[in-house]
Amino acid sequence: MTDHIETDVVIIGAGPVGLFAVFELGLLDIRCHVIDILPKVGGQCAELYPEKPIYDIPGFPMITGQGLVDNLMAQIEPFHPTFHLNQMVESIETLGTPEAPLFRVKTAEGETTFTCKSILIAAGGGSFQPKKPPIDQIEAYEGTGVFYAVRHMEMFRDKRILIVGGGDSALDWTVNLQPLAKRLTLLHRRDAFRAAPHTVEKMRALVAAGAMDLHLGQVSALKGPAPVLEGVTVRKDDGSTFDIACDVMLPFFGLTMKLGPIADWGLNLHENLIPVDTEKFETNVPGIFAIGDINTYPGKLKLILSGFHEGALAAQKVHRYVYPEKKLLFQYTTSSTSLQKKLGVAA
Amino acid sequence: MGVIHVTDRSGQRHTLEALEGWRVMEIIRDWGLPLEGLCGGACECATCHVYVAEEWLSKLHPPSEEEEDQLDTVVTRPNSRLSCQIIWTPALDGLEVTLAPTGS
């Protein structure tokens, strides 16, 4: 079923900069929906360094990535943004005029469409996507012999499965797919796993019982007439090689960031970054803004701090698109009763 | 002041001025070579993966468990290191590294 949502602004990216933009827009009575490809909010901060301390957020001598995200969520709570997680924006269609922009935003597979007056791209380095190992010809086998995710376990029934990796995804799928595989092999570069200990134990028990194989080494080549995978060549650290026969290979190497469909939205790009002006942080398409690590302009610093600033300035221009008839009066949250009412703190 | 030698993915060798206390990743990026360094040096992404020339390997401190965990997420060679975990000192003057390939 396709959902259709009408809103003032769609924010692409639920990292710190996207989250704070909700706040800046909220103060100006602008409603927004936030879309992110990850299953949780926080972007890079929550995905890459939730426990790592950050030292350059104003007012926080030290805060962890997750701590910052939690605080931002509390801060924007009064504005009740709607989050659409696990969704990737696939396309943006321009419907309006440069003076009165209107956009239709579609997520992958047309799950949800949005109509909005402005779009804030706060996508950091792009969208998180599975890391593809640099193996020759791997693309030729994708979707037939090589899969980076398991959507339907049944697809793999009675197949010779090779799982590559040593993290949670690799170990979880090893344990889950082993019962239905014809034969399952786990391949990892060393005999240490950074997955949940009980899952590692389960895997080791299956190996001990002869129910699956564990090999150490790394895939150096894929074999079989593409797109039909017949096996892989594995290289060990000592340089020796051996082959593993398999019908499917599932590499679980974690996530990396790719620009993804953003490249197809008709925006000017400069080395995978979106050029903007420094007054409004608007792109070459009126009504579409880019804030945070994804934009570029003379003097750009990739700091969370800069992204916050950019969101505040973008919000001013968004207000003109959303409320063309209203004059925008600049107010401070410390002194404005109307802002305090919006925040739910006015007496 | 000293230098590091970096061979890029097209095989071209660059000699870059190095600064004490800087991470090799930062030096490579500062000179504009295509090294992603997505996480900014937090040892959380492995996008600054390099191969260190054999003769230099023993001069580096061995990889931490954290670095090994990240190396698990790429296809490595025995001389694989994350350049964000190598802090340059004058003892590393002339360090020779090669940028590892990135996935497509």
Side-chain angles (χ1 to χ4, degrees):
Chain A
M1 198 187 82
T2 306
D3 289 329
H4 185 77
I5 290 162
E6 289 194 15
T7 183
D8 295 329
V9 174
V10 163
I11 297 177
I12 302 171
V17 170
L19 295 179
F20 191 66
V22 171
F23 182 83
E24 290 292 341
L25 293 166
L27 288 180
L28 305 180
D29 289 322
I30 300 167
R31 299 166 301 150
C32 47
H33 283 248
V34 186
I35 306 172
D36 200 291
I37 194 169
L38 293 174
K40 59 179 191 281
V41 301
Q44 241 191 84
C45 244
E47 186 64 32
L48 291 185
Y49 38 86
E51 304 302 329
K52 291 247 155 95
I54 307 173
Y55 299 100
D56 61 351
I57 304 295
F60 293 98
M62 189 285 274
I63 189 164
T64 63
Q66 189 60 48
L68 177 64
V69 171
D70 292 345
N71 280 352
L72 283 163
M73 287 299 280
Q75 191 169 22
I76 65 175
E77 215 277 326
F79 301 118
H80 311 295
T82 310
F83 289 97
H84 304 268
L85 301 174
N86 266 326
Q87 291 202 38
M88 180 160 78
V89 173
E90 193 69 49
S91 67
I92 292 178
E93 196 184 336
T94 307
L95 306 173
T97 62
E99 297 72 33
L102 194 67
F103 302 98
R104 178 155 304 146
V105 176
K106 281 189 186 146
T107 60
E109 294 158 23
E111 284 164 9
T112 315
T113 63
F114 302 81
T115 306
C116 57
K117 291 174 180 155
S118 274
I119 296 170
L120 259 57
I121 304 174
S127 50
F128 276 99
Q129 292 178 17
K131 220 182 241 183
K132 296 182 181 183
I135 301 169
D136 275 349
Q137 300 295 313
I138 193 162
E139 287 88 3
Y141 297 91
E142 286 171 2
T144 50
V146 174
F147 298 87
Y148 302 103
V150 177
R151 304 246 179 263
H152 308 289
M153 281 172 64
E154 276 305 312
M155 271 178 69
F156 301 111
R157 182 174 290 279
D158 296 326
K159 299 257 164 95
R160 295 170 302 172
I161 302 173
L162 172 67
I163 291 182
V164 189
D168 281 311
S169 300
L171 272 288
D172 286 349
W173 284 117
T174 294
V175 170
N176 289 334
L177 289 173
Q178 184 277 331
L180 54 83
K182 186 173 184 185
R183 186 72 187 172
L184 189 138
T185 306
L186 175 64
L187 176 70
H188 185 43
R189 66 183 270 272
R190 60 190 176 126
D191 196 20
F193 298 86
R194 72 211 134 77
H198 71 271
T199 318
V200 177
E201 272 168 40
K202 242 187 232 174
M203 179 275 293
R204 295 222 189 261
L206 288 168
V207 174
M212 61 165 280
D213 301 307
L214 169 65
H215 289 296
L216 302 185
Q218 297 183 87
V219 175
S220 59
L222 303 176
K223 304 176 67 164
V228 179
L229 185 69
E230 291 175 350
V232 303
T233 300
V234 174
R235 195 189 59 232
K236 295 206 283 188
D237 261 4
D238 63 11
S240 63
T241 62
F242 65 96
D243 288 352
I244 297 174
C246 61
D247 307 306
V248 292
M249 173 172 92
L250 306 167
F252 291 109
F253 282 2
L255 299 172
T256 187
M257 279 217 250
K258 297 274 170 228
L259 198 57
I262 294 173
D264 308 323
W265 296 343
L267 300 170
N268 287 343
L269 289 177
H270 177 72
E271 291 178 353
N272 283 344
L273 297 169
I274 305 171
V276 290
D277 66 74
T278 51
E279 183 196 348
K280 315 175 293 286
F281 298 92
E282 200 164 19
T283 67
N284 63 306
V285 179
I288 303 184
F289 300 77
I291 56 176
D293 283 1
I294 194 125
N295 74 14
T296 181
Y297 52 85
K300 169 72 181 181
L301 284 180
K302 284 193 183 191
L303 290 176
I304 294 172
L305 167 76
S306 309
F308 289 165
H309 157 85
E310 295 162 12
L313 280 167
Q316 301 288 309
K317 181 64 192 272
V318 171
H319 183 272
R320 278 191 256 165
Y321 288 133
V322 175
Y323 299 112
E325 311 302 324
K326 276 197 206 169
K327 190 170 174 349
L328 178 57
L329 293 172
F330 183 72
Q331 297 171 294
Y332 290 103
T333 55
T334 38
S335 52
S336 157
T337 322
S338 94
L339 291 185
Q340 289 167 3
K341 272 189 187 147
K342 290 172 198 175
L343 293 168
V345 293
Chain B
M1 203 72 100
V3 296
I4 61 171
H5 305 289
V6 182
T7 304
D8 66 23
R9 296 184 190 101
S10 65
Q12 203 187 334
R13 188 167 176 266
H14 307 259
T15 299
L16 313 180
E17 242 171 51
L19 278 176
E20 183 157 14
W22 279 42
R23 293 160 190 276
V24 168
M25 176 203 77
E26 291 167 333
I27 296 166
I28 296 171
R29 280 214 311 201
D30 200 50
W31 284 94
L33 293 186
L35 188 77
E36 203 177 2
L38 184 67
C39 77
C43 196
E44 296 287 345
C45 73
T47 55
C48 67
H49 177 197
V50 295
Y51 305 129
V52 174
E54 285 302 325
E55 64 272 25
W56 285 96
L57 269 182
S58 60
K59 298 191 174 77
L60 305 178
H61 61 81
S64 63
E65 191 56 29
E66 207 178 11
E67 185 178 343
E68 288 286 4
D69 282 352
Q70 281 308 318
L71 285 167
D72 285 347
T73 69
V74 288
V75 174
T76 57
R77 295 183 187 166
N79 58 340
S80 284
R81 292 297 303 262
L82 296 186
S83 56
C84 76
Q85 298 302 298
I86 307 170
I87 296 177
W88 194 84
T89 65
L92 298 181
D93 189 13
L95 177 71
E96 190 88 42
V97 304
T98 301
L99 304 188
T102 55
S104 53

